[in-house]
Amino acid sequence: MIMEGFGTYGTTPGGRRQVGVQGYDVPEGVEIRGRYDGEFARILTREAVQFVAELQREFRNRIRYALECRKEAKRRYNDGALPGFDPATKYIREGDWVCAAVPPAVADRKVEITGPVERKMIINALNSGAKVFMADFEDALSPSWENLMRGQVNLKDAVNGTISFHDKARNRVYKLNDQTAKLFVRPRGWHLPEAHILVDGEPLTGCLMDFGFYFFHNYEAFRRIQGGGFGPFFYLPKMEHSREAKIWNCIFEKAEKMAGIERGSIRATVLIETLPAAFQMDEILHELRDHSVGLNCGRWDYIFSYVKTFQAHPDRLLPDRVLVGMTQHFMKSYSDRLIWTCHRRGVHAMGGMAAQIPIKDDPAANEAALDLVKKDKQREVRAGHDGTWAAHPGLIPACLEVFNNNMGNSPNQIQTAKREEAANLTEEDLLQRPRGVRTMEGLRLNTRVGIQYLAAWLTGSGSVPLYNLMEDAATAEISRVQNWQWLRYGVELDGDGLGVRVSKELFFRVVEEEMARVEREVGKARFNKGMFKEAGKMFTRQCTAPTLDDFLTLDVYNNIVVHYPKFASSRL
Ligand SMILES: CC(=O)SCCNC(=O)CCNC(=O)[C@H](O)C(C)(C)COP(=O)(O)OP(=O)(O)OC[C@H]1O[C@@H](n2cnc3c(N)ncnc32)[C@H](O)[C@@H]1OP(=O)(O)O
Ligand SMILES: O=CC(=O)O
Ligand SMILES: [Mg+2]
């Protein structure tokens, strides 16, 4: 068996093995095709891999079925059906039940910072003054083998309190403060495979890798150090139906049993970030009622999902992306319903992410951006949200101030902001067509943002600052699907007064011009060294595809897969 934690990778303490000929010690039926690294071997222990493989074997058929059901629902929406409340689960929506009590350690979640599982950012986020840090394997992370495995190593060190980072260029050492944010971890969505680990010859389900290794290595320390006897805590993304929440509930139960900890120890907040899930809030909470700690308004994926769900409904086209904010009736209705539902069931109703980030070189623009963030947070706290998301440490004081000013010393508003009137929101409220115009600048912005995001993702960065906004997989998806839909229906760009219709010819010209603009902005050297040209081709292909790809990152995933077929895993 390979020993854990031996210094530089490649040789055992005895020095008998060579770099590259070493492998992870894996159980029967598992093959690891990612690069070998001594640090990664601390995570990929035989026992941990066995646990993850068992999750895969037990749940793969149910996951497959849930994904088939998504396809079936897509067929129905494409044939003209609209999402709505399920009559079969009316008894759950109308029933008088509550979720398990919120663990005291996370009663106060006024401001949560999010970010990829990158070492320095984890330390900065935990030290940021936010109540919670949502460490992200999802929208904010490009899921390369290196990023995923380093992320697991970083989280293990973070939970144990030993994480540090030496920025050699700036001669600065990063360490944890005495007071840190509570850690939540967001695994990938169900749809993403993990091509570097095969179980019985098939790729592992990505989220089972993220959840499984994190849980296996950290549940004991987390419950002792962070969770006050509860935990670990998770965020669950991109679900479309309560049957998917049921799978997570069973996974949690299996993990708790394996660990010998009480049922209900693990807690998760589900992002309501798909249009179909907005009609399943009660059902999702009900499935997870012993493991729930609320719902969150994942606004960016929600907008993406609106377009995707209505991809075949030309009467429901979105206006320019910048016009689809939380004050649009369908967005406001979804946030109101989420608050009402969560508080009725005794759990947190979390707000979402304002995309503005600090602007370093322009004080006036910085002030204006901060003002937009504050207004967004004010709207959330007054509506009854118990907390919100921030993308950057520089925003934490302002967001906290807004929530503290409106909530005083209360840790949350679960008992005080019931929002009973939201019970009257109808299917029509949740689906109402967004208002606004479409412009050439909207098409251009989608294009240059989509391409630059993809270029970053292909080279390892899953969240980037672009034009003073945070961009991640969810925001980039909006750019992609909106372009696709406008092209598909040859929409008129009615906001320009020119009556121009979107066509392939127009789009190809826009791509060319925006690529030239990006090259000017980032500089020739960076442009040629980066993956901009490849990203441009991929984005163009996606926007002009005859049928809409379900996910941008799924389509391009193979470009970041790096296999080490001969050496990575062996049974020693
Ligand atoms: C739709 C959704 O799912 S939202 C959730 C997913 N998205 C995210 O989590 C995005 C999180 N945010 C980020 O990734 C970053 O803030 C970005 C990419 C948008 C901007 O990053 P940068 O350009 O590096 O920011 P900037 O240069 O201002 O950073 C200043 C410092 O703050 C740190 N920082 C910035 N954002 C974060 C963060 N979210 N968490 C921790 N530290 C952060 C930087 O590491 C840097 O640290 P240093 O001074 O010690 O070197
Ligand atoms: O995950 C959050 C979102 O807005 O999408
Ligand atoms: Mg999202």
Side-chain angles (χ1 to χ4, degrees), residues 104-117:
V106 283
D108 185 343
R109 301 170 64 185
K110 287 192 190 86
V111 179
E112 303 188 335
I113 188 166
T114 69
V117 285

Side-chain angles (χ1 to χ4, degrees), residues 113-116 118 120-126 128 133-134 136 138-140 167 170 172 174 186 238 271 273 298-301 353 357-358 360 389-394 462-466 469-475:
I113 188 166
T114 69
E118 197 243 308
K120 182 181 79 173
M121 283 176 91
I122 290 177
I123 302 172
N124 280 340
L126 288 169
S128 68
F133 166 44
M134 196 277 293
D136 202 6
E138 213 243 344
D139 285 337
D167 181 343
R170 291 151 82 192
R172 185 171 163 195
Y174 292 74
R186 178 162 73 169
K238 293 186 176 53
L271 287 132
E273 55 180 356
R299 62 176 75 165
W300 301 104
D301 267 312
M353 182 66 89
I357 47 177
K360 290 173 196 138
W389 275 12
H392 191 286
S463 57
V464 282
L466 288 175
L469 296 178
M470 182 274 314
E471 297 288 344
D472 67 6
T475 61

Side-chain angles (χ1 to χ4, degrees), residues 145-385:
W145 177 247
E146 303 296 318
N147 282 349
L148 292 165
M149 292 312 303
R150 284 190 201 293
Q152 290 283 352
V153 171
N154 296 340
L155 289 180
K156 188 166 191 270
D157 294 346
V159 171
N160 283 302
T162 58
I163 190 168
S164 65
F165 175 73
H166 184 197
D167 181 343
K168 291 194 185 93
R170 291 151 82 192
N171 195 23
R172 185 171 163 195
V173 176
Y174 292 74
K175 286 204 167 111
L176 291 180
N177 294 342
D178 292 339
Q179 280 268 344
T180 56
K182 293 280 187 289
L183 188 63
F184 277 58
V185 169
R186 178 162 73 169
R188 283 167 279 179
W190 293 120
H191 59 285
L192 286 172
E194 177 46 59
H196 299 92
I197 301 185
L198 304 184
V199 177
D200 305 329
E202 286 180 358
L204 176 63
T205 307
C207 60
L208 296 183
M209 169 177 177
D210 306 337
F211 165 80
F213 289 123
Y214 173 71
F215 178 84
F216 187 89
H217 289 293
N218 298 293
Y219 72 85
E220 189 278 323
F222 186 93
R223 286 159 49 83
R224 185 168 36 85
I225 301 169
Q226 285 222 6
F230 284 90
F233 303 135
F234 295 92
Y235 257 104
L236 302 176
K238 293 186 176 53
M239 286 199 262
E240 297 192 7
H241 195 276
S242 60
R243 74 172 67 82
E244 300 173 25
K246 186 172 185 156
I247 303 175
W248 272 118
N249 198 60
C250 294
I251 290 170
F252 291 166
E253 284 176 352
K254 184 178 170 79
E256 287 165 343
K257 213 162 161 188
M258 177 284 294
I261 59 179
E262 305 91 83
R263 188 166 170 280
S265 180
I266 300 173
R267 293 302 177 95
T269 297
V270 172
L271 287 132
I272 298 297
E273 55 180 356
T274 67
L275 192 60
F279 299 91
Q280 293 266 317
M281 293 184 196
D282 276 307
E283 290 84 341
I284 287 170
L285 283 180
H286 192 254
E287 289 298 351
L288 281 159
R289 60 195 177 280
D290 295 326
H291 290 108
S292 177
V293 62
L295 302 176
N296 168 299
C297 279
R299 62 176 75 165
W300 301 104
D301 267 312
Y302 195 71
I303 299 168
F304 158 48
S305 176
Y306 187 95
V307 180
K308 193 157 85 164
T309 307
F310 290 134
Q311 59 184 272
H313 295 233
D315 57 332
R316 288 179 185 274
L317 301 169
L318 285 195
D320 278 2
R321 186 187 130 169
V322 293
L323 300 176
V324 191
M326 292 306 295
T327 52
Q328 288 273 1
H329 185 77
F330 80 110
M331 297 294 280
K332 180 177 181 317
S333 304
Y334 128 83
S335 140
D336 287 345
R337 184 172 173 88
L338 185 140
I339 296 164
W340 169 65
T341 306
C342 288
H343 290 182
R344 188 165 166 229
R345 307 307 182 189
V347 285
H348 291 93
M350 301 302 297
M353 182 66 89
Q356 291 78 18
I357 47 177
I359 302 172
K360 290 173 196 138
D361 48 5
D362 184 342
N366 187 49
E367 201 50 45
L370 199 61
D371 224 48
L372 286 173
V373 174
K374 282 191 208 160
K375 282 201 178 100
D376 184 59
K377 302 308 145 199
Q378 211 147 63
R379 179 194 51 74
E380 288 184 329
V381 69
R382 288 182 183 160
H385 278 297

